[in-house]
Amino acid sequence: MFDRQAAVEQAMFLFWQQGYASTSLSQLKASLGGGISAPSFYAAFGSKEALFREAAQCYLDTFARVTECLWDDGLAPRAAIELALRQSASMQSDAGHPPGCMVALGCMSAPTAEHAAVAAPLTQSRARTRAGFVRCVERGMASGELPGDMDAVALASVFDSFLSGVAIQTRDGVGYSVLDGAITQILRVWDASRVPG
């Protein structure tokens, strides 16, 4: 019997590994197993684009949740940033799925206008993470931990850019222990910005 959710998850792993543009319909059909025919594929998913959107949503509902702590007011802002970075680096390094981050890598090989709509959920997810970093910095400024005249967007971009780099590093085989040490280093940017007291 055709397991639709399992098929979406298999497609998610394939898109995660290869990106949208590099993943062919024949590869998708093969990954779904059971020798699914083209008519059956279209009946189940409509199109490659529709399946990618479903696969992307599956990723956003599961693996991408590692950065939601940026929006947790129960955490101190620096702690929220540290947790997001460490959780994301750990997830991206896990051997149980493709390395890296589908949000960062899933459409990087398809920057054309034709694929802009397909990539929209991933683009929105990156924007939400970026806004989460800004929010943490602004919370640090509001509490007096960070200077009130700090450029919140600039400091947030330090952490956001680092996180984007983690996706490339894990794809290149850099292990979690190296990334974990790098996170300790990058957090010194926050510590160096603190108001003395």
Side-chain angles (χ1 to χ4, degrees), residues 2 12 24 32 37 41 67 76 79 92 99 108-110 125 135 140 144-145 150 162 167 182 187 192:
F2 180 65
M12 175 189 70
S24 69
L32 303 185
S37 66
F41 176 89
T67 56
Q92 294 187 56
M108 289 304 182
S109 61
S125 178
R135 186 168 181 271
E145 182 179 356
M150 170 161 279
F162 176 89
L187 287 165

Side-chain angles (χ1 to χ4, degrees), residues 40-72:
S40 297
F41 176 89
Y42 288 115
F45 303 109
S47 66
K48 174 184 168 181
E49 292 86 351
L51 177 54
F52 180 83
R53 288 190 192 95
E54 242 184 284
Q57 193 57 55
C58 181
Y59 182 90
L60 295 174
D61 291 341
T62 53
F63 296 99
R65 303 282 305 165
V66 291
T67 56
E68 278 301 299
C69 54
L70 294 171
W71 299 91
D72 183 353

